């Protein structure tokens, strides 16, 4: 009697799960033959940086709402469909998500992955399967190198590293720098190395006095920070994601660090200030756009986003918006035939051929490598906790 | 060089304190039930989240009405979190471990059940609260005391003191009280003990209350020093604390305490000297060597089984 009750409960809950799964999944995997354009999103909805995925999805949803779920291609209306795949902010899951988007969901183009850790392996899969992809937020050069099908919407670390090094030299008069980064992640590791190279070019070899590392998921950085403080560095550069920044900055202060700390575009998440609070105020980071004091199209986007979701969009949202805009423009320009493999190649060619796209993070044009030529912004976190425009640096 | 050493010893004492507090919980449950409660690391995580919930409740909902200040909220948060976390631990014992024990299931099944319970807690948290990181509110202003040679914060001192006090308290409970005597007795022979009129179930529940309560304390203290909370924060710390308890000699309170600090010390020192990628490799090699040299752990006793 008891056992059968348990069985019933199990069957019932399984049934519930199944119906719940089906309810949200009305759109069958569709190709563009039925008048559908499928764009896949390979984004981190769980894992280390869930806010990045959420921002990206919110921007995409807003885009879909603004165009009314339809786009015109050669005078005919097509239904626009977005498929969101969670890559758990892991490299291997990003590969699986990418394959699923390409093979199962029949995506014409892919937006994402966001962070370089997933975008570098994700780009490999997209290129091997001849599917155009735009990584909105990945700044590591390896993402697009020798991959004709892979593009990006942001500047690169070989540009960002020197920008930060130059800014710290001029603004703080710093001569010795310390770096703290995650060796197990492509983005911080690459950027830390570009920064080190740029710094030593300005100040001579050995001027990066501490080059300390940790591994993803570490929570205690006291040993590394002790070394950094004892090294006598004038500025600390930490190109980490927002959840780690909150821990690093707090621990550095607790160990007696009172000099400037600089970050990179990975700081620019809407969640940085809720996690870090007062500890991060007064520090600087390089990023793609500054929300405070924006004008024109950028301001329109910020206002629309803010009234819809109740907070100022971060650079991930803005870059997703631009990446999506470029992808849609390329799809509209491409001669679509209905054959998925051919259309993917056509969209890739159309992306490469975009003369100049006027996005909300600045105007951009792809170079032969698939990277846009655009400028960086240095942002200061002001006392109100806003990301305030401080300086613009053109390439 | 000396400055770095002193500073790193302090860092290690703080980091080791968490391992010790969690290892003590492993040790208590193992000592009584011979059960490795793999869910313990996740109970620590639940403790941190309960602490967050309690603290924000007093700060956000009641604070403005009653005018509670940060330190008062902290004074309320710690005991309440310990009680609530203990309740979670006892619930786990009630619904997962006790039925198995009643049926006389092999110890292996109980250990696997514990692993499952840990996953249920992690993913339950993920499902209920979502993947976003939570920030623990700053309840007491962090004071940095800079002594030139080294600097400490009030939180750091509190954490180290808490670990030492908990150790002394548990040592007292286990060796000097009747409850402790009963706990040791169950560990000695759990079949003969009911015959002596000792309520085995109550003693086991008491063990879980102690272990989980201090995991809750560790959770709050951890959240105060590392204020970014996420559902998987307990997994790795839990595993490592378990290893610390084994190295110390699982089942021995002194062993768990010393093992926790030893692991914290080794981890911090390896990072201070070598690249951080070598940390787990070198620290666990050291622990492995200790176990090879003394398989029962630092404070463990060799047991002989009569057939």
């Amino acid at each position: 009697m008891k056992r059968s009750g348990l069985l019933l409960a199990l069957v019932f809950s399984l049934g519930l799960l199944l119906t719940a799964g089906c309810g949200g999944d009305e759109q069958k995997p569709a190709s563009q033959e039925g008048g559908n354009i499928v764009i896949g999103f390979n984004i981190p909805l769980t894992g280390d940086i869930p806010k990045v995925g959420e921002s990206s999805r919110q921007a995409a949803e807003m885009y879909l709402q603004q165009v009314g779920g339809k786009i015109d291609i050669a005078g005919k209306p097509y239904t626009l469909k977005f498929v969101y795949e969670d890559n758990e902010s892991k490299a291997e899951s990003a590969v699986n998500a990418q394959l699923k988007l390409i093979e199962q969901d029949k995506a014409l183009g892919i937006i994402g992955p966001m962070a370089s850790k997933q975008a570098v392996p994700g780009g490999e899969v997209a290129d091997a399967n001849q599917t155009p992809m735009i990584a909105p937020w990945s700044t590591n050069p390896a993402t697009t190198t020798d991959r004709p099908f892979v593009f990006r919407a942001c500047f690169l670390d070989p540009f960002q590293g020197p920008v930060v090094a130059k800014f710290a030299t001029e603004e703080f008069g710093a001569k010795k720098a310390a770096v703290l980064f995650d060796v197990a992640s492509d983005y911080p590791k690459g950027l830390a190395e570009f920064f080190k190279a740029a710094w030593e070019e300005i100040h001579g070899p050995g001027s990066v006095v501490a080059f300390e590392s940790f591994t993803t998921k570490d929570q205690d950085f006291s040993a590394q920070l002790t070394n950094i403080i004892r090294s006598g560095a004038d500025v600390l550069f930490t190109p980490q994601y927002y959840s780690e920044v909150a821990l690093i900055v707090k621990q550095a202060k607790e160990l007696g660090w009172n000099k400037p700390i600089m970050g990179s575009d990975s700081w620019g998440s809407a969640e940085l200030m809720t996690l870090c609070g007062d500890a991060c105020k007064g520090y600087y980071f390089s990023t793609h756009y500054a929300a405070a004091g924006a004008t024109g199209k950028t301001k329109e986007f910020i206002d629309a986003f803010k009234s819809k979701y109740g907070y100022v969009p971060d650079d991930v949202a803005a870059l997703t918006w631009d990446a999506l805009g470029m992808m849609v423009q390329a799809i509209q320009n491409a001669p679509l035939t209905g054959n998925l493999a051919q259309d993917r190649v056509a969209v890739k060619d159309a992306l490469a051929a975009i003369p100049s796209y006027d996005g909300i993070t600045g105007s951009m044009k792809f170079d032969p490598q698939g990277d846009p030529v655009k400028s960086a912004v240095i942002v200061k976190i002001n006392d109100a906790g806003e990301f305030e425009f401080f300086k613009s640096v053109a390439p | 060089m000396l400055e770095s050493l002193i500073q790193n010893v302090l860092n290690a004492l703080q980091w080791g304190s968490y391992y010790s507090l969690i290892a003590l919980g492993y040790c208590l449950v193992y000592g009584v039930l011979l059960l490795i409660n793999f869910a313990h690391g996740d109970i620590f995580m639940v403790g941190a989240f309960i602490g967050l919930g309690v603290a924000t409740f007093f700060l956000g909902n009641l604070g403005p009405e009653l005018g509670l200040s940060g330190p008062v909220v902290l004074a309320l948060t710690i005991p309440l979190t310990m009680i609530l976390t203990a309740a979670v631990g006892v619930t786990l014992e009630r619904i997962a471990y006790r039925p198995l024990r009643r049926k006389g299931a092999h110890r292996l099944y109980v250990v696997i059940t514990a692993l499952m319970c840990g996953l249920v807690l992690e993913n339950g948290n993920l499902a209920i609260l979502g993947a976003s990181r939570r920030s623990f509110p700053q309840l007491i202003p962090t004071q940095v005391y800079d002594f030139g040679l080294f600097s400490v914060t009030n939180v750091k001192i509190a954490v180290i003191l808490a670990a030492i006090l908990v150790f002394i308290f548990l040592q007292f409970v286990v060796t000097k009280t009747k409850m402790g005597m009963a706990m040791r007795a169950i560990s000695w022979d759990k079949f003969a003990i009911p015959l002596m009129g000792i309520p085995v179930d109550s003693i086991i529940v008491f063990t879980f209350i102690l272990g989980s309560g201090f995991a809750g304390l560790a959770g709050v203290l951890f959240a105060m020093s590392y204020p970014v909370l996420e559902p998987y924060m307990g997994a790795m710390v839990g595993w490592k604390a378990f290893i610390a308890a084994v190295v110390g000699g699982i089942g021995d309170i002194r062993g768990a305490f010393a093992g926790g600090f030893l692991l914290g010390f080794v981890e911090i020192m390896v990072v201070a000297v070598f690249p951080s990628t070598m940390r787990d490799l070198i620290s666990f090699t050291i622990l492995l060597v200790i176990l090879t040299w003394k398989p029962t752990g630092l404070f463990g006793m060799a047991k002989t089984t009569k057939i």
Side-chain angles (χ1 to χ4, degrees):
Chain A
M1 191 59 216
K2 216 176 169 190
R3 179 162 296 174
S4 65
L6 193 72
L7 205 72
L8 205 73
L10 257 177
V11 169
F12 181 69
S13 55
L14 251 177
L16 255 181
L17 270 177
L18 275 175
T19 46
C22 292
D25 200 32
E26 265 167 30
Q27 73 267 34
K28 280 251 165 20
S31 67
Q32 67 274 33
E33 284 121 344
N36 283 336
I37 299 285
V38 180
I39 296 181
F41 284 79
N42 187 344
I43 48 180
L45 292 166
T46 57
D48 290 333
I49 44 174
K51 185 70 204 162
V52 167
E54 194 193 315
S55 281
S56 177
R57 180 157 74 174
Q58 285 174 337
E61 288 289 313
M62 195 171 102
Y63 188 93
L64 202 60
Q65 207 186 31
Q66 281 202 2
V67 298
K70 288 200 174 0
I71 52 167
D72 283 333
I73 300 170
K76 272 188 283 178
Y78 280 74
T79 310
L80 200 54
K81 281 202 169 147
F82 291 170
V83 180
Y84 305 100
E85 271 298 320
D86 178 18
N87 62 32
E88 302 169 309
S89 74
K90 288 184 198 151
E92 57 279 12
S93 307
V95 168
N96 291 338
Q98 201 81 326
L99 284 170
K100 182 163 180 288
L101 286 171
I102 292 168
E103 282 160 11
Q104 202 175 320
D105 299 320
K106 310 260 183 258
L108 183 56
I110 293 169
I111 307 289
M114 291 292 160
S116 297
K117 188 178 172 184
Q118 294 97 45
V120 174
E124 178 66 46
V125 175
D127 195 57
N129 288 286
Q130 303 220 317
T131 305
M133 152 187 154
I134 304 181
W137 199 52
S138 162
T139 49
N140 192 305
T143 305
T144 54
T145 308
D146 294 329
R147 291 171 181 169
F149 281 84
V150 184
F151 300 83
R152 78 173 94 217
C154 53
F155 54 67
L156 272 76
D157 292 336
F159 167 63
Q160 184 174 204
V163 163
V164 176
K166 205 159 151 259
F167 176 81
T169 308
E170 287 167 3
E171 195 67 28
F172 313 128
K175 297 213 161 44
K176 289 186 280 183
V179 185
L180 178 60
F181 66 100
D182 178 358
V183 275
S185 181
D186 282 337
Y187 165 80
K189 185 168 173 285
L191 191 48
E193 278 156 8
F194 289 119
F195 174 84
K196 186 170 186 247
W199 190 270
E200 294 195 332
E201 199 172 292
I202 304 173
H203 300 278
S207 54
V208 173
V209 285
F211 199 63
E212 294 286 330
S213 64
F214 61 91
T215 318
T216 320
K217 292 246 165 215
D218 278 4
Q219 285 156 315
D220 183 89
F221 311 102
S222 52
Q224 291 96 325
L225 287 165
T226 301
N227 286 350
I228 286 170
I229 290 169
R230 300 293 161 204
S231 73
D234 302 316
V235 59
L236 168 61
F237 176 58
T238 179
Q240 287 308 132
Y241 297 109
Y242 56 89
S243 55
E244 288 146 346
V245 170
L247 291 174
I248 293 170
V249 167
K250 280 194 177 162
Q251 286 177 42
K253 285 193 159 172
E254 283 173 13
L255 286 165
W257 176 269
N258 46 20
K259 294 168 190 165
I261 301 181
M262 281 211 67
S264 54
D265 63 301
S266 54
W267 281 39
S269 165
E271 218 158 62
L272 177 73
M273 294 319 287
T274 55
L275 289 180
C276 194
D278 291 343
C280 278
K281 286 176 184 169
Y283 294 142
Y284 300 82
F285 61 91
S286 62
T287 190
H288 308 277
Y289 98 127
T295 53
K297 256 168 99 170
T298 316
K299 192 173 179 331
E300 277 171 32
F301 166 74
I302 292 168
D303 291 343
F305 194 95
K306 208 175 163 187
S307 70
K308 190 163 162 60
Y309 299 112
Y311 69 97
V312 177
D314 49 22
D315 57 356
V316 176
L319 288 168
T320 303
W321 185 270
D322 277 354
L324 199 49
M326 284 190 283
M327 183 63 88
V328 168
Q329 191 174 17
I331 291 173
Q332 283 168 327
N333 291 350
L336 295 188
T337 58
N339 178 320
L340 190 59
Q342 274 178 26
D343 286 353
R344 282 174 176 167
V345 177
V347 171
K348 174 214 102 178
D349 292 337
L351 265 174
I354 288 179
S356 174
Y357 183 80
D358 192 20
I360 53 171
T361 60
S363 71
M364 56 198 113
K365 174 188 181 337
F366 291 119
D367 69 5
Q369 201 63 262
D371 302 324
V373 182
K374 63 195 286 192
S375 47
V377 172
I378 301 281
V379 159
K380 184 185 182 180
I381 305 173
N382 66 17
D383 289 337
E386 292 166 343
F387 298 160
E388 190 180 85
F389 175 83
F390 195 79
K391 207 172 185 181
S392 177
V393 188
Chain B
M1 193 60 218
L2 180 71
E3 295 168 1
S4 294
L5 189 69
I6 297 173
Q7 184 66 60
N8 277 326
V9 167
L10 280 167
N11 297 341
L13 282 175
Q14 183 188 16
W15 191 233
S17 298
Y18 303 114
Y19 286 142
S20 273
L21 280 171
I22 301 167
L24 284 170
Y26 271 111
C27 163
L28 279 177
V29 172
Y30 183 84
V32 173
L33 280 178
L34 295 183
L35 155 69
I36 303 160
N37 182 14
F38 275 122
H40 195 67
D42 296 302
I43 292 179
F44 156 76
M45 174 274 293
V46 169
F49 274 88
I50 289 177
L52 172 70
V54 173
T56 43
F57 174 73
F58 281 123
L59 277 179
N61 299 18
L62 281 180
E65 281 173 40
L66 301 174
L68 298 175
S69 62
V72 180
V73 172
L74 183 66
L76 287 168
T77 303
I78 287 181
L80 259 173
T81 306
M82 287 175 72
I83 293 167
L84 290 172
T85 316
V88 173
V90 170
T91 314
L92 221 54
E93 196 271 333
R94 210 39 172 281
I95 60 174
Y97 305 147
R98 189 180 290 184
L100 283 173
R101 200 167 62 238
R102 286 273 158 79
K103 289 191 176 137
H106 190 274
R107 265 169 55 202
L108 179 67
Y109 299 108
V110 191
V111 169
I112 289 171
T113 308
L115 273 172
M116 273 190 305
C117 290
L119 287 173
V120 167
L121 288 177
E122 281 173 16
N123 293 298
N125 185 341
L126 187 70
I128 295 168
L129 294 175
S132 269
R133 300 293 193 268
R134 304 278 157 161
S135 171
F136 196 79
Q138 182 136 22
L139 296 175
I140 46 169
T142 313
Q143 295 270 320
V144 183
Y145 306 106
D146 200 338
F147 294 100
L149 269 176
F150 58 91
S151 64
V152 290
T153 60
N154 44 2
V155 175
K156 200 171 242 175
I157 298 172
V159 169
I160 299 167
L161 274 182
I164 295 171
L165 287 178
V166 168
F167 162 67
I168 295 172
F169 173 76
L170 286 181
Q171 184 75 2
F172 172 77
V173 167
V174 170
T175 57
K176 296 282 191 308
T177 63
K178 273 196 171 161
M179 224 36 167
M181 197 196 264
M183 284 162 76
R184 280 178 294 147
I186 293 175
S187 151
W188 198 256
D189 190 339
K190 69 175 167 184
F191 298 107
I193 283 308
L195 305 177
M196 305 288 144
I198 296 173
V200 176
D201 280 343
S202 321
I203 303 293
I204 289 172
V205 165
F206 178 70
T207 313
F208 272 88
I209 289 178
L210 278 184
S212 308
F214 289 123
L217 174 68
V220 174
L221 293 174
F222 191 88
M224 284 170 67
S225 330
Y226 309 100
V228 178
L229 307 186
E230 47 124 357
Y232 298 103
M233 62 187 272
M236 202 60 201
V237 178
W239 278 101
K240 288 186 173 174
F242 165 64
I243 294 168
V246 171
V247 170
I250 191 151
D252 188 289
I253 305 259
R254 289 167 305 162
F257 183 69
F261 278 107
L262 179 73
L263 178 58
F265 191 78
V266 171
E267 280 199 358
I268 293 282
M269 288 306 163
V270 169
V271 176
V273 181
F274 298 101
S276 70
T277 32
M278 309 285 274
R279 186 189 64 192
D280 289 356
L281 180 69
I282 297 181
S283 41
F284 289 104
T285 309
I286 294 175
L287 300 187
L288 206 60
V289 169
I290 294 179
L291 280 186
T292 325
W293 165 66
K294 207 166 181 305
T296 50
L298 294 174
F299 289 84
M301 278 187 300
K303 259 189 197 160
T304 47
T305 316
K306 239 189 268 177
I307 303 168

